[in-house]
Amino acid sequence: MIRRHVNKSISQLLKKINIMNTKILNVSLNRKVENLSYPIIIGDNILSSSGEILKEFIYKKNVIVIYDSFFSVKTSPNNEFEEFVQSINKLTTTLNFIDIPGGDQTKNINQLNEIIEKVLTNGIDRQNVIIAFGGGVIGDIAGFAASILLRGINYIQVPTTLLSQVDSSVGGKTGINSKIGKNLIGSFHQPQAVLADINILKTLPNREFRAGFAEVVKYGLIKDLEFFNWLNQEYDSIFIYDKIKLQKMITKSCEIKAEIIKNDEKEGGKRALLNLGHTFAHAIESFGNFDGRIIHGEAVSIGICLAFRLSNKLCFCSTDDTKKVINLFQKSKLPTSLHDIKKISISTSGMIQKFKLDKKNRQNELTFILNKRIGESFIKHNVSVNVLTQFLNEEI
Ligand code: GLY
């Protein structure tokens, strides 16, 4: 299905309903059989117009909203979730709700089963649409449910955290954690659209915002030195929620991600770069039992710093660049080393065992994303267990 008209029609629509200053990006996937593209709409205060904006996907459809139970209670005088619901309610044939708690502990097979049973009990056909309203956990599990219900129904992402707006809602990775490791069960299932409202970030606890910032910095580190420098320079405005800066930052992050996944939807190659820091991060999170002592973006912050220190140790990257990266994370009050998470006990051999489960590995060879400099990541296959053991022994 080629859907090049999407950008134009949505921007015409936004003009018609008087919504200004909204960015629309296209995620265009070059597939062998059929190309696919879908819009990411990034604006301020657009949830109350969700119905009009998403009309082509939800009009006269049976819609199931899977949302973070955080939004069940009033979180602000203008309850964004209520505005969203009122706006889409006018257009759908039926509207059903499933609320689930946010947090990685929720992202498991039992919760998935509960969602699926609820949807099936209500009755479903292939025209139903799921809307995921929440952070990365909600988007991942709701997207996964959409990908397996009736062998795949449509879904839309309405990400409400910085991390999900810049990363997890885009690109179609869906899934849940296994007791063995993070995100080991899942599928690639692209959403029909992503609607990101900057205004809702004000509901986000500061810790979550900082954690999302780690994924933002990742984009600069992977392939855009200028963006990294801009983040350093605009740091203060970003952390006081300057909406213009936030919109620019989220748009740029999504642009970089869309560009990377364009030719590698299923991570056969370059998409793995988006995993900078994640091999370490997933291992750390799994040591933490996903119980909230460390959250994903914090683990990513440590993981990226470890990836830079390893790159430096292996003489791929300068000490100067490594320090600059660690400084930005420290300034953002994010953890930057394994010593910063003393409450979780981590061992070198345990870390190596967890690395062996990483999806990037090839035939038992460990693969890491490392950096030549800020703005240039690369895939390094066959990183030896001896080197990693020595490195981790120095870090732990
Ligand atoms: N979060 C990494 C990816 O979407 O590939």
Side-chain angles (χ1 to χ4, degrees):
M1 181 178 27
I2 303 177
R3 305 184 54 246
R4 294 191 205 290
H5 68 286
V6 161
N7 255 353
K8 209 163 149 228
S9 63
I10 292 188
S11 66
Q12 279 164 352
L13 181 82
L14 291 173
K15 237 185 235 155
K16 209 165 113 199
I17 58 178
N18 219 6
I19 294 185
M20 304 300 175
N21 303 325
T22 295
K23 303 266 187 230
I24 308 162
L25 299 177
N26 239 14
V27 179
S28 297
L29 300 168
N30 295 331
R31 290 176 164 178
K32 276 200 183 104
V33 181
E34 46 167 15
N35 290 340
L36 169 81
S37 79
Y38 58 89
I40 310 172
I41 302 131
I42 305 161
D44 178 20
N45 240 325
I46 53 175
L47 284 175
S48 53
S49 306
S50 306
E52 289 103 313
I53 299 171
L54 298 174
K55 185 172 175 185
E56 69 168 291
F57 310 112
I58 61 168
Y59 186 54
K60 292 199 172 155
K61 296 265 165 69
N62 298 320
V63 172
I64 305 139
V65 179
I66 300 179
Y67 70 102
D68 189 325
S69 34
F70 170 79
F71 292 104
S72 303
V73 286
K74 274 208 177 291
T75 52
S76 72
N78 321 310
N79 190 326
E80 291 78 8
F81 183 60
E82 246 172 59
E83 284 178 8
F84 165 77
V85 171
Q86 272 172 23
S87 174
I88 59 169
N89 193 23
K90 295 178 231 158
L91 294 150
T92 59
T93 304
T94 63
L95 195 52
N96 283 299
F97 297 93
I98 300 175
D99 69 314
I100 54 175
D104 251 288
Q105 253 185 340
T106 297
K107 227 173 86 169
N108 59 44
I109 197 103
N110 296 333
Q111 186 68 64
L112 177 74
N113 192 41
E114 237 178 77
I115 293 172
I116 285 173
E117 295 296 343
K118 275 189 190 157
V119 173
L120 294 175
T121 307
N122 265 335
I124 175 181
D125 63 42
R126 283 222 171 98
Q127 301 313 307
N128 284 43
V129 177
I130 285 181
I131 300 184
F133 189 102
V137 165
I138 310 297
D140 281 9
I141 196 166
F144 188 37
S147 80
I148 54 178
L149 277 160
L150 309 188
R151 300 207 174 89
I153 62 170
N154 286 327
Y155 78 112
I156 293 166
Q157 292 271 17
V158 184
T160 59
T161 62
L162 179 59
L163 191 139
S164 56
Q165 292 189 351
V166 297
D167 187 18
S168 59
S169 67
V170 175
K173 276 191 181 174
T174 76
I176 54 173
N177 303 326
S178 134
K179 281 201 183 91
I180 311 294
K182 175 130 177 151
N183 291 342
L184 292 180
I185 306 162
S187 62
F188 287 96
H189 187 53
Q190 300 294 338
Q192 286 186 295
V194 180
L195 182 72
D197 189 340
I198 292 160
N199 189 46
I200 203 164
L201 295 180
K202 68 177 191 232
T203 63
L204 200 60
N206 190 265
R207 181 182 180 199
E208 296 279 352
F209 185 82
R210 286 187 270 116
F213 188 67
E215 293 279 11
V216 172
V217 173
K218 179 188 80 178
Y219 292 111
L221 300 175
I222 292 172
K223 73 188 293 280
D224 199 325
L225 171 63
E226 211 179 296
F227 184 46
F228 176 84
N229 289 338
W230 182 84
L231 291 170
N232 245 318
Q233 189 188 309
E234 299 297 343
Y235 175 87
D236 290 332
S237 320
I238 291 165
F239 275 77
I240 55 163
Y241 291 70
D242 174 322
K243 285 185 172 174
I244 309 267
K245 300 282 157 54
L246 285 181
Q247 189 179 30
K248 184 171 170 184
M249 176 180 94
I250 294 165
T251 306
K252 185 74 197 166
S253 301
C254 291
E255 264 168 17
I256 295 176
K257 179 154 188 179
E259 184 57 35
I260 290 177
I261 64 177
K262 186 174 172 177
N263 294 312
D264 186 19
E265 182 185 355
K266 300 213 169 149
E267 202 167 298
K270 288 243 161 84
R271 182 169 181 162
L273 297 177
L274 294 168
N275 251 257
L276 173 64
H278 282 59
T279 311
F280 293 112
H282 289 166
I284 295 166
E285 286 178 273
S286 154
F287 268 110
N289 280 328
F290 311 111
D291 62 6
R293 280 177 293 170
I294 184 145
I295 55 176
H296 180 62
E298 293 169 340
V300 166
S301 168
I302 299 175
I304 291 177
C305 294
L306 288 173
F308 265 83
R309 286 203 282 271
L310 182 59
S311 304
N312 181 241
K313 184 179 167 70
L314 299 178
C315 301
F316 291 120
C317 179
S318 70
T319 306
D320 201 35
D321 270 11
T322 306
K323 277 189 183 154
K324 272 191 201 152
V325 174
I326 295 168
N327 280 347
L328 179 55
F329 285 125
Q330 277 173 343
K331 190 161 90 171
S332 317
K333 300 192 178 59
L334 281 159
T336 57
S337 91
L338 294 170
H339 295 287
D340 293 341
I341 44 163
K342 290 224 169 62
K343 47 197 171 174
I344 298 172
S345 113
I346 288 175
S347 68
T348 295
S349 59
M351 286 287 272
I352 305 270
Q353 283 314 311
K354 293 189 191 295
F355 295 161
K356 289 183 178 163
L357 295 168
D358 193 88
K359 297 185 282 307
K360 294 184 293 300
N361 296 337
R362 289 192 322 197
Q363 295 170 350
N364 293 330
E365 288 179 6
L366 298 181
T367 298
F368 279 77
I369 308 304
L370 298 181
N371 268 65
K372 294 196 174 146
R373 57 186 67 80
I374 292 172
E376 191 179 347
S377 294
F378 68 102
I379 302 169
K380 176 83 182 93
H381 294 294
N382 204 6
V383 180
S384 92
V385 169
N386 284 347
V387 166
L388 287 165
T389 303
Q390 199 196 9
F391 172 68
L392 286 172
N393 283 340
E394 287 160 16
E395 290 285 335
I396 289 176

mmCIF file of all heavy atoms in Angstrom, residues 3 61 75 242 313 331:
data_model
loop_
_atom_site.group_PDB
_atom_site.id
_atom_site.type_symbol
_atom_site.label_atom_id
_atom_site.label_comp_id
_atom_site.label_asym_id
_atom_site.label_seq_id
_atom_site.Cartn_x
_atom_site.Cartn_y
_atom_site.Cartn_z
ATOM 1 N N ARG A 3 1.027 5.200 0.519
ATOM 2 C CA ARG A 3 0.128 6.219 1.057
ATOM 3 C C ARG A 3 0.846 7.565 1.115
ATOM 4 O O ARG A 3 1.006 8.146 2.151
ATOM 5 C CB ARG A 3 -0.387 5.795 2.420
ATOM 6 C CG ARG A 3 -1.034 4.422 2.353
ATOM 7 C CD ARG A 3 -1.660 3.982 3.643
ATOM 8 N NE ARG A 3 -2.590 4.966 4.145
ATOM 9 C CZ ARG A 3 -2.405 5.635 5.261
ATOM 10 N NH1 ARG A 3 -1.321 5.448 5.954
ATOM 11 N NH2 ARG A 3 -3.291 6.494 5.656
ATOM 12 N N LYS A 61 -15.411 3.162 12.908
ATOM 13 C CA LYS A 61 -14.699 1.919 13.259
ATOM 14 C C LYS A 61 -14.973 1.579 14.725
ATOM 15 O O LYS A 61 -15.302 2.448 15.542
ATOM 16 C CB LYS A 61 -13.187 2.112 13.092
ATOM 17 C CG LYS A 61 -12.733 2.380 11.669
ATOM 18 C CD LYS A 61 -12.310 1.091 10.984
ATOM 19 C CE LYS A 61 -12.191 1.203 9.478
ATOM 20 N NZ LYS A 61 -11.104 2.008 9.025
ATOM 21 N N THR A 75 -5.243 14.056 36.324
ATOM 22 C CA THR A 75 -3.852 14.417 36.566
ATOM 23 C C THR A 75 -3.624 15.920 36.426
ATOM 24 O O THR A 75 -2.598 16.435 36.808
ATOM 25 C CB THR A 75 -2.935 13.685 35.579
ATOM 26 O OG1 THR A 75 -3.418 13.908 34.276
ATOM 27 C CG2 THR A 75 -2.885 12.208 35.884
ATOM 28 N N ASP A 242 10.511 24.423 27.181
ATOM 29 C CA ASP A 242 10.246 25.400 26.113
ATOM 30 C C ASP A 242 9.658 24.617 24.932
ATOM 31 O O ASP A 242 10.319 23.768 24.337
ATOM 32 C CB ASP A 242 11.582 26.073 25.724
ATOM 33 C CG ASP A 242 11.450 26.994 24.536
ATOM 34 O OD1 ASP A 242 10.689 26.668 23.600
ATOM 35 O OD2 ASP A 242 12.132 28.032 24.526
ATOM 36 N N LYS A 313 38.288 2.514 25.133
ATOM 37 C CA LYS A 313 39.254 1.487 25.554
ATOM 38 C C LYS A 313 39.799 0.731 24.339
ATOM 39 O O LYS A 313 40.974 0.371 24.285
ATOM 40 C CB LYS A 313 38.542 0.513 26.511
ATOM 41 C CG LYS A 313 39.440 -0.552 27.107
ATOM 42 C CD LYS A 313 38.637 -1.442 28.057
ATOM 43 C CE LYS A 313 39.376 -2.702 28.433
ATOM 44 N NZ LYS A 313 40.522 -2.487 29.298
ATOM 45 N N LYS A 331 25.054 16.178 33.538
ATOM 46 C CA LYS A 331 24.334 17.450 33.656
ATOM 47 C C LYS A 331 22.821 17.205 33.705
ATOM 48 O O LYS A 331 22.079 17.922 34.377
ATOM 49 C CB LYS A 331 24.703 18.304 32.432
ATOM 50 C CG LYS A 331 24.257 19.726 32.472
ATOM 51 C CD LYS A 331 25.041 20.580 31.496
ATOM 52 C CE LYS A 331 24.400 20.629 30.125
ATOM 53 N NZ LYS A 331 24.968 21.593 29.193
#
